[in-house]
Amino acid sequence: MNKSQLKQRVCDAIDYNREKIISIGEEIFSNPELGYKEIKTAGLVSREMKKIGLEVEENIAVTGVKASLPGERPGPVIAVLGELDAIICREHEAADKETGAVHACGHNVQIAAMMGAAIGLTVSKVLDELDGSVEFMAVPAEEYVELEYRGTLKEKGEIEYYGGKQELIKRGYFDDVDVAMMIHSLNLQGDKKVIVGGTGNGFIGKNVQFIGKESHAGSAPEMGVNALNAAMIAIGNIHAQRETFPDQERVRVHPIITKGGDIVNVVPADVRMETYVRARTIEGIRTSNEKVNRAIIAGGYAVGAGVKISETPGYLPLLRTAELDELFRNNAKEFVDESQIIEGADFTGSFDFGDVSHLIPALHPFIGGVEGNLHTRDFKIVDKDTAYILPAKAMAMTVIDLLFDGASVAKSIKENFKPAMTKEEYLAYLEENSRIIEKSEIG
Ligand SMILES: [Zn+2]
């Protein structure tokens, strides 16, 4: 059978299972769970993978699921990924009343598209005619949130890193993977349906504690050290750095106060802040981060408060592999007009797939069919075929391109690929950027 016949077989299988694939996406949407807590979502993935006869490994990196589709003949390993977790957006009408979790980043679409590709490639038995194998990985905890909770998992030794892909890389789940791919939903303007070749910012994550001294806010404020004032001055200081951030680094610093005090008639002695420092390059992240730390410490200095900055490595910038983008673009063209595909995009948001893209050839197109901005109350799926079915088919077809004809395409992409980091360098980077900076009380 030639390559286009194999692709047709896979697409027919996906069409035959269209309702099933969409219902998986919708069921996950109705049961949103936050990172490292995706019990029901992981259970669903595991059940569906077993139903199509795949061997499943559960609880990889706490809640992750991996299913393997071995080929008839040895060859490169292609990983198709999807992310299990939701975000918190209490303003969204579909948000879980208790946790505030909602799939306003479209990760439910990713899982459905991954399942669609899995169904298509498995039931069509095309692997019999290809060289290599496919792994489907439902990855936990992409959203870098609930830093305190993840800190407790780390203390208990259940995780080392806050991002699911970081954890999986460290545990060796990408050691034998030659090419990785996944999609992300995005509200595309006009009639656009697909973006290929997008790149994104990396970041360092920060948990900050300002340590002051409590006193009666009415009768003896002069006896206290106001940690909230330290935090407010720190935020002002951060704003004063913004004109020094190089334009090309597209720096984003966006602190939030997660604890502003305990009760109103006591001068706040314990104030907490979280922030990211994002930039386009690792060097840009580093230099901006030093400025932000200086600004935070100066806030403490101004009022005589102590400062404790706990840094976590965040995610690396998202890199592209142009040959993979080209394959995906050609497959997407089977379903949309060429004018509906955008080439290249520059995101200031971040993805933990960026970490994967530093190590192996990685494909991360954005797919439309949704409306409203990510992480907002307006996000919704409006065109199920574009959102769920198109990426399932285009990813499965890209797998065929990679593994057809002795897997010559996958092999040549791998040969031409120069990783930005080795795994050892990567783990050293994570280690270097997990640190605590403490300035004890000055006043
Ligand atoms: Zn997101």
Side-chain angles (χ1 to χ4, degrees):
M1 223 178 259
N2 67 33
K3 195 160 68 173
S4 40
Q5 286 168 324
L6 293 176
K7 288 183 179 179
Q8 192 56 51
R9 243 164 70 185
V10 166
C11 289
D12 289 346
I14 291 172
D15 280 331
Y16 187 78
N17 288 281
R18 177 182 176 278
E19 299 304 319
K20 175 89 219 165
I21 294 161
I22 292 171
S23 78
I24 290 170
E26 291 180 342
E27 189 176 338
I28 297 171
F29 185 83
S30 306
N31 294 281
E33 297 173 299
L34 295 167
Y36 290 130
K37 301 173 186 169
E38 312 95 326
I39 310 292
K40 282 186 280 182
T41 316
L44 170 76
V45 172
S46 176
R47 262 194 324 276
E48 294 298 334
M49 289 294 189
K50 283 176 187 161
K51 266 190 214 164
I52 52 172
L54 299 186
E55 193 182 310
V56 173
E57 187 182 345
E58 290 169 356
N59 306 116
I60 63 167
V62 189
T63 43
V65 180
K66 175 181 147 179
S68 303
L69 174 57
E72 275 294 295
R73 299 186 293 274
V77 178
I78 314 297
V80 180
L81 314 184
E83 294 160 353
L84 292 161
D85 59 327
I87 64 149
I88 298 173
C89 178
R90 292 185 189 277
E91 295 77 14
H92 198 293
E93 63 176 11
D96 184 292
K97 296 283 170 290
E98 227 166 86
T99 63
V102 61
H103 277 290
C105 199
H107 294 187
N108 61 313
V109 177
Q110 297 179 15
I111 297 284
M114 176 194 74
M115 275 305 315
I119 291 170
L121 289 164
T122 306
V123 306
S124 64
K125 298 194 185 335
V126 289
L127 265 282
D128 293 355
E129 305 199 29
L130 301 173
D131 292 85
S133 58
V134 190
E135 289 179 354
F136 302 96
M137 268 191 250
V139 181
E142 194 275 335
E143 303 290 350
Y144 208 81
V145 298
E146 297 193 301
L147 304 189
E148 294 225 14
Y149 166 69
R150 294 191 193 177
T152 62
L153 289 182
K154 189 177 158 129
E155 263 165 40
K156 284 191 275 180
E158 289 180 31
I159 57 167
E160 183 85 23
Y161 299 110
Y162 291 5
K165 295 189 194 65
Q166 299 176 321
E167 190 67 17
L168 288 171
I169 293 169
K170 190 213 123 203
R171 296 188 189 197
Y173 281 92
F174 285 92
D175 288 357
D176 65 347
V177 174
D178 296 293
V179 172
M181 67 175 75
M182 61 173 288
I183 57 108
H184 202 297
S185 293
L186 193 67
N187 179 15
L188 301 177
Q189 303 304 317
D191 67 344
K192 304 292 184 210
K193 298 275 175 77
V194 175
I195 297 177
V196 292
T199 52
N201 272 359
F203 73 95
I204 281 177
K206 255 179 217 308
N207 221 335
V208 183
Q209 183 183 15
F210 295 93
I211 305 149
K213 186 164 174 283
E214 74 286 359
S215 68
H216 195 294
S219 62
E222 74 280 9
M223 305 291 287
V225 175
N226 191 321
L228 182 59
N229 282 340
M232 289 194 300
I233 295 166
I235 290 174
N237 291 343
I238 291 170
H239 293 328
Q241 311 300 317
R242 295 193 191 275
E243 66 182 27
T244 76
F245 295 144
D247 289 347
Q248 69 276 14
E249 284 292 346
R250 311 203 70 197
V251 175
R252 297 288 187 271
V253 188
H254 37 89
I256 60 166
I257 300 281
T258 53
K259 182 183 177 193
D262 285 301
I263 50 172
V264 67
N265 57 2
V266 174
V267 167
D270 179 5
V271 169
R272 310 284 177 105
M273 186 172 108
E274 281 182 16
T275 190
Y276 293 175
V277 179
R278 307 189 199 239
R280 181 45 45 97
T281 66
I282 291 173
E283 191 45 34
I285 297 169
R286 256 192 204 128
T287 51
S288 311
N289 187 49
E290 289 313 313
K291 292 176 185 176
V292 169
N293 283 345
R294 208 170 59 200
I296 291 169
I297 291 164
Y301 191 78
V303 300
V307 174
K308 182 180 177 189
I309 304 172
S310 306
E311 285 187 348
T312 49
Y315 299 153
L316 290 172
L318 179 65
L319 308 176
R320 63 179 293 195
T321 305
E323 298 102 307
L324 289 172
D325 292 328
E326 192 52 33
L327 295 177
F328 189 88
R329 158 201 273 280
N330 283 331
N331 289 319
K333 262 174 20 191
E334 296 290 321
F335 313 106
V336 300
D337 193 78
E338 192 157 10
S339 66
Q340 295 176 300
I341 303 176
I342 300 171
E343 172 69 35
D346 201 8
F347 294 99
T348 43
S350 313
F351 311 89
D352 69 352
F353 198 64
D355 292 43
V356 176
S357 75
H358 276 66
L359 303 173
I360 55 174
L363 171 69
H364 189 270
F366 294 83
I367 309 292
V370 300
E371 263 178 25
N373 287 330
L374 299 176
H375 295 201
T376 72
R377 70 184 81 187
D378 301 325
F379 183 84
K380 60 171 185 276
I381 295 152
V382 290
D383 172 357
K384 293 174 188 176
D385 286 290
T386 300
Y388 294 113
I389 304 300
L390 185 160
K393 287 180 179 172
M395 282 199 292
M397 291 160 83
T398 304
V399 169
I400 293 173
D401 285 324
L402 290 166
L403 299 182
F404 189 71
D405 183 27
S408 56
V409 173
K411 284 174 183 166
S412 103
I413 288 174
K414 208 189 162 193
E415 228 158 78
N416 293 335
F417 181 77
K418 289 185 188 55
M421 287 181 181
T422 63
K423 184 179 170 185
E424 289 66 36
E425 286 165 344
Y426 170 71
L427 293 176
Y429 174 87
L430 295 186
E431 213 46 57
E432 259 167 52
N433 288 287
S434 307
R435 59 174 186 164
I436 292 175
I437 301 162
E438 270 179 290
K439 295 285 171 195
S440 57
E441 201 172 321
I442 301 151

